[in-house]
Amino acid sequence: MKKRVFKRKIYDRIAEWKQRKNGSTALLIKGARRIGKSTIATEFAKREYRSYIAIDFVKALPEVKALFSELDYLDYIFLRLQSIYGVKLYDRESVIIFDEVQKCPEARQAIKYLVEDGRYDYIETGSLLSIRKNTEGIVIPSEETGIDMFPMDFEEFLWAIGDETSMPLIRYAFEKLRPLGDAAHRKLMRTFSLYMLIGGMPQAVNSYLDTNNFMDVDSVKREIIDLYINDLRKIDSTWNASRIFESVPAELSRNKLRYEPGGVLKNIERARLAEIWIDLEDSLTVNFSYRCSDPNVGMSLHKDYDSFKIYMADTGLFVTLAFADKSTTENIIYNKLSSDKLSADLGYIYENVVAQSLKAAGHSLFYYAFPADAERKNYYEVDFMLSKDTKITPIEVKSSGYKTHKSIDVFCEKYSSRISRPVMLYTKDIQTDKNMIYLPVYMASLL
């Protein structure tokens, strides 16, 4: 398989850290495994520094890890590292990468003193960073600037397949609220369908570019899913965390107002369940969307920690996990996606990709649900809400071209003074009316 280094937006954020902090903090890149953290850190080091040392703590020799247990002689540590890795370091011109730093907590704790020394820059990468066993007995350094890394968004996927022109067109149409036209829209929907199936995991995209075969891509994604499941089983020996992870597609398809663990877990204590939620959210393999109890700006102040939905962080993994029992999943779903014939229960693929797009764009995820009748037997639900300035933008997601939106209509009437123009994300071209903006789903990341 050809090794490719994909263009990622996080590169600019790393460059901003380097210029703005100028060695006063280490950079911590957090993200799920196989997301591309190591690759982007190494690529940045190659381009932006005179030299670098990359320490992979999964593979590092015991003598390398032992160096960070005693920090009285930093000169000795740097000399040993240069000798072991065969790289000369230069004051203020070199960077040391601590890859998968959670595997060596002592190295992460040492960041405080390494940054104070000031000779070199430091970039850490890690997953499951806040899990108790990875932080037990160490002091987490305050000299860290943390950034989260996510799977490729749609624009990054377009770059990966050699398309540098579509996103400027999409952005122009979004800003002007101008329809793209049938031919352009159909082409973009086909590409977006491809993105949903393949997802944004670099290995999966690389496999697609190598083979143009969905079954090969699916095999790569299954390996990543198995890796995540095994990681979750290691941090939770009861396997409850991994069961919840595996249940995400099924739970979304049940159209519940919140995730209900009773269908997956039995007789689990509330305190232990809370720990599992924290561990899952910290893993960055899933995205949590919380119910907002009072839809207003400052939604975090009204987050209901007991009511939430869980989405997969990568929609390509979502598709594979949802249909893991089928050997030809990709071809079946791709045919339905490309012909706009998804059944209602498969519409959650669109809801998941919108959650992924909004999260990658820097938004926290919130939704709202309220009774539709006095008996509280039926509920209205707003899929997502974004706050901007003093107003809220409610968002509804449709897996078709239908334009019915009763929930948002009632929501806007109920909270009219708080609402900006609502948005429906669906499978057709841009349309507008006085009450709603209709946007193709591939524009979610621009909201």
Side-chain angles (χ1 to χ4, degrees), residues 51 89 140 163 172 196 203 223 314 320 354 386 406 439:
S51 69
L89 297 175
I140 301 300
D163 184 346
Y172 176 84
M196 287 192 287
Q203 282 182 297
E223 290 175 3
D314 181 73
T320 293
V354 170
L386 305 180
K406 180 67 173 177
L439 298 176

Side-chain angles (χ1 to χ4, degrees), residues 134-185:
N134 292 332
T135 58
E136 193 171 6
I138 71 166
V139 176
I140 301 300
S142 59
E143 296 78 10
E144 284 180 340
T145 297
I147 55 176
D148 291 340
M149 188 173 183
F150 302 102
M152 291 181 184
D153 66 13
F154 184 46
E155 184 172 14
E156 290 172 323
F157 178 79
L158 289 172
W159 293 339
I161 64 174
D163 184 346
E164 298 276 350
T165 61
S166 288
M167 203 63 195
L169 174 63
I170 293 171
R171 192 171 282 110
Y172 176 84
F174 172 81
E175 291 171 355
K176 302 295 183 182
L177 290 180
R178 179 176 178 175
L180 292 111
D182 288 344
H185 170 71

Side-chain angles (χ1 to χ4, degrees), residues 309-352:
K309 296 184 178 184
I310 307 178
Y311 299 94
M312 295 287 290
D314 181 73
T315 303
L317 298 184
F318 178 96
V319 171
T320 293
L321 186 59
F323 300 95
D325 58 330
K326 300 180 185 295
S327 61
T328 56
T329 298
E330 305 296 356
N331 294 321
I332 293 170
I333 302 302
Y334 181 71
N335 289 336
K336 290 187 176 184
L337 279 168
S338 61
S339 60
D340 195 16
K341 292 181 180 178
L342 271 178
S343 59
D345 59 332
L346 300 184
Y348 292 96
I349 297 174
Y350 283 98
E351 193 172 328
N352 197 93

Side-chain angles (χ1 to χ4, degrees), residues 349-365:
I349 297 174
Y350 283 98
E351 193 172 328
N352 197 93
V353 79
V354 170
Q356 177 183 343
S357 300
L358 295 176
K359 190 72 175 179
H363 298 291
S364 297
L365 302 181

Side-chain angles (χ1 to χ4, degrees), residues 88-124:
K88 181 175 175 57
L89 297 175
Y90 302 89
D91 287 9
R92 301 307 312 139
E93 296 183 274
S94 297
V95 61
I96 300 176
I97 300 171
F98 289 173
D99 195 17
E100 297 296 349
V101 71
Q102 77 278 359
K103 295 294 185 180
C104 185
E106 293 82 6
R108 188 178 180 195
Q109 180 172 256
I111 283 293
K112 172 181 173 63
Y113 305 99
L114 297 173
V115 168
E116 285 179 355
D117 174 73
R119 271 175 271 188
Y120 314 116
D121 282 355
Y122 299 89
I123 298 177
E124 306 165 89

Side-chain angles (χ1 to χ4, degrees), residues 65-99:
K65 294 183 179 180
L67 288 173
F68 300 99
S69 298
E70 298 291 339
L71 301 175
D72 291 337
Y73 303 101
L74 291 181
D75 288 348
Y76 173 75
I77 292 174
F78 296 138
L79 288 171
R80 287 291 294 130
L81 289 176
Q82 291 175 88
S83 175
I84 293 169
Y85 289 93
V87 174
K88 181 175 175 57
L89 297 175
Y90 302 89
D91 287 9
R92 301 307 312 139
E93 296 183 274
S94 297
V95 61
I96 300 176
I97 300 171
F98 289 173
D99 195 17

Side-chain angles (χ1 to χ4, degrees), residues 391-430:
K391 298 289 184 178
I392 290 175
T393 299
I395 300 170
E396 186 161 346
V397 181
K398 295 284 188 183
S399 61
S400 66
Y402 295 117
K403 300 197 301 184
T404 56
H405 40 78
K406 180 67 173 177
S407 291
I408 279 191
D409 289 343
V410 176
F411 177 79
C412 291
E413 182 178 351
K414 183 178 177 68
Y415 298 104
S416 58
S417 63
R418 308 179 185 182
I419 306 301
S420 64
R421 200 171 181 183
V423 170
M424 177 180 286
L425 294 169
Y426 72 150
T427 61
K428 300 300 182 183
D429 202 352
I430 294 176

